[in-house]
Amino acid sequence: MKIEYHPIGIIHSPFTKLSGMPIQPAGAAGVEGTVEVFPKYNDGLKDLEGFSHIIMLYHFHRSKGFKLHAVPFMDSTPRGIFATRAPKRPNPIGLSVIKLQKIQDNILYVENVDILDGTPLLDIKPYVPEFDEQTEARVGWLEEARKEVSKRKSDQRFK
Amino acid sequence: MKIEYHPIGIIHSPFTKLSGMPIQPAGAAGVEGTVEVFPKYNDGLKDLEGFSHIIMLYHFHRSKGFKLHAVPFMDSTPRGIFATRAPKRPNPIGLSVIKLQKIQDNILYVENVDILDGTPLLDIKPYVPEFDEQTEARVGWLEEARKEVSKRKSDQRFK
């Protein structure tokens, strides 16, 4: 079974290289970017500006092939790919919870962007704490490193 | 540009009809399901059991076509599709934060399942509060209804 999607827009950020990037929005505090939604989808942005945060789903377009184990940026041990957020996944879909500043026509002005410039956008969803938040979550191998995420940067390992 | 994905597994739940379903995991407290990951991806599940919650991305396989406005289950006013979690989206990708009980071989035993039985699974990611949580978020049109989500059920509107 094949599932076919099409980009609904393009994400623009200061990050043009895979190395040296923040590895999550928490490490990209204050980094501004824009999201260009293709004009044909413009009407779908109605009411979105009321939300302070949005979930962006995007295609890791620079990620070729996949591996079932990856050494995450936060670790030195290979982990199962589904226990990581690494990009070389069977379906290379990225997910970031991003701060929305404003929308002008088909352009979203966003903050805390940890995404490569030129990345194809697949979907935008409103972030709703009642749907998406699990404050008491256990985080397995990330337990020790979880507070460090804002300080780490990417390197070339997922090129 | 076309983006092609393939299911990595199938989600099994008690919900075989589109109507009468919980509309978010918060409304599916205690509802148990299983996620069958195809054996070829088994190795990618290593280390996942340490996480109490996972993000599942899946394909809304029963959703045909899309509309740029939708009247969400939580509302009576048409909203821009990207300001809702409705399934008839340009790229019909669903997202749920689900509680993980245990993993046996290639089967995940999960809780709080708001997903239709037989839904194709696209990706599993570990849920990490430091990456994914925005406790102070504003939620636009959902502001009044946000506390009601656990009581609402779906109907036929997105058939």
Side-chain angles (χ1 to χ4, degrees):
Chain A
M1 180 187 178
K2 286 181 196 175
I3 295 170
E4 198 178 287
Y5 294 141
H6 300 267
I8 61 163
I10 301 288
I11 299 162
H12 301 285
S13 81
F15 305 112
T16 55
K17 289 186 302 184
L18 288 174
S19 59
M21 288 180 55
I23 59 174
Q24 283 291 331
V31 174
E32 298 187 348
T34 55
V35 181
E36 174 192 356
V37 174
F38 298 143
K40 65 181 279 201
Y41 300 112
N42 233 356
D43 279 355
L45 297 173
K46 181 176 167 282
D47 303 303
L48 187 62
E49 211 170 0
F51 292 82
S52 61
H53 292 79
I54 55 178
I55 301 172
M56 294 209 298
L57 298 179
Y58 46 90
H59 180 63
F60 285 120
H61 64 304
R62 295 280 297 276
S63 182
K64 305 296 176 209
F66 70 90
K67 290 179 176 167
L68 291 178
H69 294 139
V71 179
F73 293 128
M74 305 285 292
D75 202 3
S76 53
T77 306
R79 305 293 180 180
I81 190 74
F82 301 121
T84 80
R85 305 287 278 255
K88 288 200 169 190
R89 322 178 68 76
N91 293 311
I93 306 176
L95 181 163
S96 296
V97 178
I98 296 283
K99 190 169 178 185
L100 177 63
Q101 292 175 334
K102 62 178 176 179
I103 302 177
Q104 283 181 342
D105 300 321
N106 64 323
I107 308 292
L108 279 62
Y109 293 81
V110 292
E111 214 175 286
N112 309 354
V113 179
D114 63 330
I115 305 167
L116 196 70
D117 187 52
T119 294
L121 178 68
L122 292 174
D123 199 8
I124 300 170
K125 298 180 191 292
Y127 177 85
V128 181
E130 282 74 7
F131 300 171
D132 303 311
E133 194 181 86
Q134 293 292 344
T135 305
E136 300 301 314
R138 263 188 305 114
V139 297
W141 65 265
L142 260 165
E143 196 56 57
E144 284 185 35
R146 62 196 294 185
K147 304 296 182 197
E148 298 293 309
V149 62
S150 60
K151 299 171 196 158
R152 304 287 182 94
K153 299 285 180 202
S154 69
D155 55 32
Q156 297 280 352
R157 73 182 74 176
F158 297 122
K159 201 175 167 185
Chain B
M1 180 187 179
K2 285 181 195 173
I3 295 170
E4 199 178 287
Y5 294 140
H6 300 267
I8 61 164
I10 302 287
I11 299 163
H12 301 285
S13 82
F15 305 112
T16 55
K17 289 186 303 182
L18 287 174
S19 58
M21 288 180 55
I23 59 175
Q24 283 291 331
V31 174
E32 297 187 348
T34 55
V35 180
E36 174 194 354
V37 174
F38 298 142
K40 65 181 280 201
Y41 300 112
N42 234 357
D43 280 355
L45 297 174
K46 182 177 166 284
D47 302 303
L48 187 62
E49 212 171 359
F51 293 83
S52 61
H53 293 78
I54 57 178
I55 301 171
M56 295 208 299
L57 299 178
Y58 47 90
H59 180 63
F60 285 121
H61 63 304
R62 294 279 298 276
S63 182
K64 304 296 176 208
F66 69 91
K67 291 179 177 169
L68 291 178
H69 294 139
V71 179
F73 294 127
M74 305 284 292
D75 201 5
S76 54
T77 306
R79 305 293 180 180
I81 189 75
F82 300 122
T84 80
R85 306 286 278 256
K88 288 200 167 188
R89 322 178 68 78
N91 293 311
I93 306 175
L95 182 162
S96 296
V97 177
I98 297 283
K99 191 169 176 184
L100 177 63
Q101 293 175 334
K102 62 178 176 179
I103 302 177
Q104 284 181 343
D105 300 321
N106 64 323
I107 307 292
L108 280 61
Y109 292 82
V110 292
E111 214 176 285
N112 308 353
V113 179
D114 64 329
I115 305 166
L116 196 70
D117 186 52
T119 294
L121 178 69
L122 292 174
D123 199 7
I124 300 170
K125 297 179 193 292
Y127 177 85
V128 182
E130 283 75 6
F131 300 171
D132 302 310
E133 193 183 86
Q134 293 292 342
T135 306
E136 299 301 314
R138 264 188 303 115
V139 298
W141 66 265
L142 260 165
E143 196 56 57
E144 284 183 37
R146 62 195 296 186
K147 304 295 183 198
E148 297 294 309
V149 62
S150 59
K151 300 170 196 159
R152 305 288 182 94
K153 299 284 180 203
S154 69
D155 55 32
Q156 296 280 353
R157 73 182 74 177
F158 298 123
K159 201 175 167 182

